[in-house]
DNA sequence: ATTTTCAGCGCAAACGTTTGCATCTCAAAA
DNA sequence: TTTTGAGATGCAAACGTTTGCGCTGAAAAT
């Protein structure tokens, strides 16, 4: 029931030796005699000595802490990434400070400042939707803090990046829809300035072009939430040339589309196919279950963290890695099966 | 492009004054002349001076950081709580270190140790499923670090707690099922040593008793995941005296039940009613949408964090609060409507 | 003209560690 | 007996801040 935690000095005083000796004894420094070392270690164990991480950090100007800036915590994909980050950080002895920007530029800037103040050893970040100025991230790299972007990356800043293969995922999903007979495929996307939006749109368009299907800009809309999808989808369905498939930027949006389509009396996947992106538990709960592009968020977190830590340790001098995580199609109930003949 | 961040000493040297003056100037200390103060603040701004949180923490032996130990990050309820914690922590100027126990006792112990080493200002924790020894948490309070449990609390340790009103929520859900005509209500629960399991089971049983319905232990099973539910539910459905309702400890489990029931050809909610617990996006994706007990995870996080911070500030001396977050029923498609007459 | 007052600033210690260097003690080598 | 040297330990500085106290000089009071 100590009011204040036990320190090296306390041990030194108690054992009538100097703090330096205690420090060395605890590190198994060869200079210290076995008897002293054991006395010290015994005492430390008995009194639950825990090194003061702060003091240590101050000396080395590196606290073993990684800062993470993500748009939303309550979000299957991002929380998966976070879990991956946490896992390797824990293995490597780092703590994880998590900051939620809430898709809010100002808060993102505050987050970045807080992390610099905390003198974190490194930062992992995914951009907020409405971030278009990147000075706060530049400040991080100027402060000599290793920085790795993941998923929603920023191309303006020279640093490592880990992204999902958005282009290939979107291409494959679109191609699959085409192969199962869809010709008018609507694409619901996030704001266009985000890299993921651009890449996925390119994948979508290129797949269409490959099969000589004209890209109809009318079928491309900005819509990335369930509620928006429920509102917007009906107007597509009542048109003469209604789409026969929807490709959604995320599963929430896909679920909203599914809901609206079912309510309109059309059948999924007979009349309309739906493809989501970023597999979550979510996709399993719907009926029929969502076909979606698996993003492997956990693995992305793992890779991003590993990359950052090797950066922190200075193992990868000057090189800027651009890791791409493969996606794959998870075919379930909202799409038709592939015709037998190849 | 400084290799090392700018410090108070740097400013002092540059402006040919002492570090103490700089420090005071930055804090708007009245002892400092206006001209000096402005010179210093100007310089600090121009050079992006950011106070070194570590040094500050070392002095006060309090870093403005809150540690959180949760079983799973990728989990709607827990991530909601985390989001609530993050929000008030940010408002109050605290960072949040998040540790994931992964429902693993050993990792939980390591997490606790790491947080003590980091000298966090306070800890928020929710127990892992298989934790039955609480020494690591006792060590936290012995280290004089304020501790607040939330949701999966531990009654053995004298500290603040924030819980959902599990009993009332379970009671209300069960009562609703009864009022809509259900008589044989199965209850799928988490491991029995958890307080939430006990409380919800009591609510369930008491509601049955209130309506003079015998408690059938055969209808109570340990099952708290989607996959388990899909496996276990069918054997209930084939019995002569099959249940006419299921009350699940969480929505994943409820979704699994729903899936199994639909697959068996029975109708929801006509033949079988289903009630979940802990509202998530999840509950909206299913068809029909899940009726569930809203847990208000975000608010729980907000309250827990507020409580902890007031504890850290020493505002609530010696008192141990036991905050209870109200639940409420979210009635959707997996339950029948209440009959008109009251 | 002398004393008092006080605004404005600097000194130095402290927070808990680590670490290069100095110091001390003996026993072995010279 | 003296020198050498290795083994064991202590000293002190440093990391970046804050803060109690003391110092200085000039204006105000006597």
């Amino acid at each position: 029931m100590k009011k204040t935690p036990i320190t090296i000095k306390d041990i030194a005083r108690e054992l009538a030796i100097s703090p330096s000796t205690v420090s060395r004894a605890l590190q198994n420094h060869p200079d210290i005699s076995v008897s002293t070392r054991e006395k010290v270690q015994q005492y430390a164990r008995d009194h639950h000595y825990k090194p003061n991480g702060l003091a240590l950090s101050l000396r080395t100007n590196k606290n073993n802490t990684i800062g993470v800036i993500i748009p939303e915590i309550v979000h299957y994909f991002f929380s998966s990434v976070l879990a991956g980050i946490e896992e390797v950080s824990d293995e490597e002895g780092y703590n994880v400070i998590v900051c939620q920007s809430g898709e809010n530029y100002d808060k993102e800037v505050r987050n970045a400042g807080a992390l610099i103040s905390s003198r974190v050893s490194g930062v992992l970040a995914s951009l907020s939707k409405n971030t278009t100025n990147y000075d706060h991230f530049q400040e991080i790299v100027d402060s000599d803090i290793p920085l790795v972007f993941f998923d929603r990356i920023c191309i303006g800043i020279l640093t490592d990046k880990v992204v999902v293969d958005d282009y290939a995922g979107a291409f494959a999903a679109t191609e699959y829809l085409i192969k199962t007979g869809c010709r008018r495929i609507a694409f619901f996307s996030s704001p266009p300035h985000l890299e993921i939006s651009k890449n996925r749109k390119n994948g979508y368009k290129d797949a269409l072009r490959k099969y000589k299907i004209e890209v109809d800009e009318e079928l491309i809309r900005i819509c990335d939430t369930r509620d928006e999808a429920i509102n917007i989808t009906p107007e597509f369905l009542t048109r003469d040339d209604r789409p026969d498939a929807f490709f959604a930027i995320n599963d929430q949006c896909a679920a909203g589309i599914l809901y609206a389509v079912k309510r309109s009396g059309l059948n999924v996947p007979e009349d309309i196919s739906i493809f989501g992106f970023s597999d979550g538990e979510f996709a399993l709960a719907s009926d029929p279950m969502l076909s979606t592009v698996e993003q492997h968020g956990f693995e992305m977190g793992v890779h991003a963290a590993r990359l950052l830590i090797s950066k922190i340790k200075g193992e990868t001098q000057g090189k800027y890695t651009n890791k791409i995580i493969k996606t794959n199609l998870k075919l379930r109930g909202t799409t038709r099966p592939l015709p037998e003949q190849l």
Side-chain angles (χ1 to χ4, degrees), chain A:
Chain A
M1 274 296 181
K2 288 272 187 173
K3 259 311 170 205
T4 149
I6 182 171
T7 76
I8 278 196
K9 291 188 181 178
D10 296 328
I11 302 183
R13 194 176 347 95
E14 227 44 52
L15 264 42
I17 52 181
S18 86
S20 10
T21 305
V22 176
S23 171
R24 282 187 258 252
L26 290 171
Q27 310 173 71
N28 294 323
H29 191 106
D31 268 8
I32 304 301
S33 71
V34 185
S35 70
T36 307
R37 187 210 302 161
E38 299 206 323
K39 236 178 3 192
V40 169
Q41 298 196 348
Q42 185 60 46
Y43 190 95
R45 238 176 290 123
D46 290 350
H47 294 72
H48 297 112
Y49 167 76
K50 292 250 168 33
N52 185 328
L54 295 164
L56 224 159
S57 304
L58 180 57
R59 263 202 128 248
T60 59
N61 211 17
K62 280 275 144 74
N63 61 0
N64 55 332
T65 301
I66 290 176
V68 178
I69 302 179
I70 53 176
E72 296 279 352
I73 293 174
V74 188
H75 186 292
Y76 181 80
F77 175 68
F78 287 124
S79 64
S80 299
V81 179
L82 185 55
I85 293 170
E86 202 277 342
E87 182 159 304
V88 334
S89 300
D90 179 73
E91 278 169 16
E92 301 275 346
Y94 288 83
N95 287 324
V96 175
I97 290 187
V98 51
C99 302
Q100 172 174 232
S101 68
E103 303 284 12
N104 178 335
Y105 168 75
D106 292 327
K107 184 153 181 213
E108 190 179 275
V109 173
R110 288 218 319 283
N111 289 156
L115 291 180
I116 296 179
S117 254
S118 299
R119 297 293 193 271
V120 293
S121 304
V123 172
L124 292 166
S126 197
L127 292 176
S128 151
K129 266 184 206 169
N130 50 17
T131 295
T132 51
N133 175 306
Y134 309 111
D135 291 350
H136 47 308
F137 288 113
Q138 190 59 50
E139 219 175 300
I140 290 180
V141 330
D142 286 352
S143 304
D144 206 37
I145 298 176
L147 171 65
V148 173
F149 279 110
F150 62 90
D151 195 51
R152 306 234 202 110
I153 64 170
C154 153
I155 39 176
I157 294 190
L158 196 61
T159 179
D160 300 79
K161 291 151 190 150
V162 180
V163 290
V164 134
D165 196 348
D166 289 300
Y167 176 88
F171 188 97
T174 308
E175 183 170 42
Y176 182 87
L177 288 170
I178 295 170
K179 283 187 177 168
T180 58
C182 303
R183 285 298 171 270
R184 288 189 55 72
I185 302 171
F187 177 44
F188 283 11
S189 169
S190 283
H193 67 272
L194 290 177
E195 288 303 308
I196 58 166
S197 302
K198 293 182 202 164
N199 293 333
R200 292 186 199 171
K201 192 199 286 192
N202 288 338
Y204 159 81
K205 286 185 172 176
D206 285 357
L208 291 179
R209 291 196 191 103
K210 174 175 174 190
Y211 291 88
K212 312 270 189 269
I213 300 176
E214 200 182 345
V215 174
D216 181 354
E217 293 289 342
E218 293 275 306
L219 291 179
I220 300 177
R221 282 292 276 277
I222 298 193
C223 166
D224 60 359
T225 68
R226 180 185 149 87
D227 289 342
E228 282 172 27
I230 291 177
N231 286 333
I232 292 178
T233 307
E235 73 182 62
F236 278 78
L237 297 178
T238 52
R239 304 214 297 234
D240 299 342
D241 55 348
R242 67 166 162 77
D244 50 15
F246 288 84
F247 176 36
I249 195 99
N250 61 41
D251 284 353
Q252 281 73 21
C253 179
I257 295 170
L258 174 60
Y259 180 81
V261 170
K262 289 205 297 190
R263 204 169 50 176
S264 80
L266 291 166
N267 292 318
V268 177
E270 291 77 9
D271 304 319
I272 306 259
S273 293
I274 302 175
F275 226 108
F277 212 110
S278 175
D279 191 41
E281 295 179 308
F282 209 75
L284 292 174
S286 69
D287 181 23
M289 294 194 256
L290 280 176
S291 293
T292 188
V293 181
E294 270 189 294
Q295 282 202 92
H296 308 290
F298 187 87
E299 289 176 28
M300 171 173 274
V302 167
H303 279 102
R306 280 206 218 294
L307 198 55
L308 182 68
I309 290 174
S310 78
K311 211 77 188 172
I312 291 172
K313 293 184 179 165
E315 289 167 3
T316 58
Q317 287 295 2
K319 298 188 306 184
Y320 292 106
T321 312
N322 212 329
K323 172 86 188 172
I324 295 177
I325 310 277
K326 285 250 174 55
T327 55
N328 62 285
L329 302 186
K330 199 81 191 181
L331 301 171
R332 286 192 277 243
T334 57
T335 50
R336 294 186 288 263
L338 225 43
E340 285 304 315
Q341 99 286 21
L342 231 254

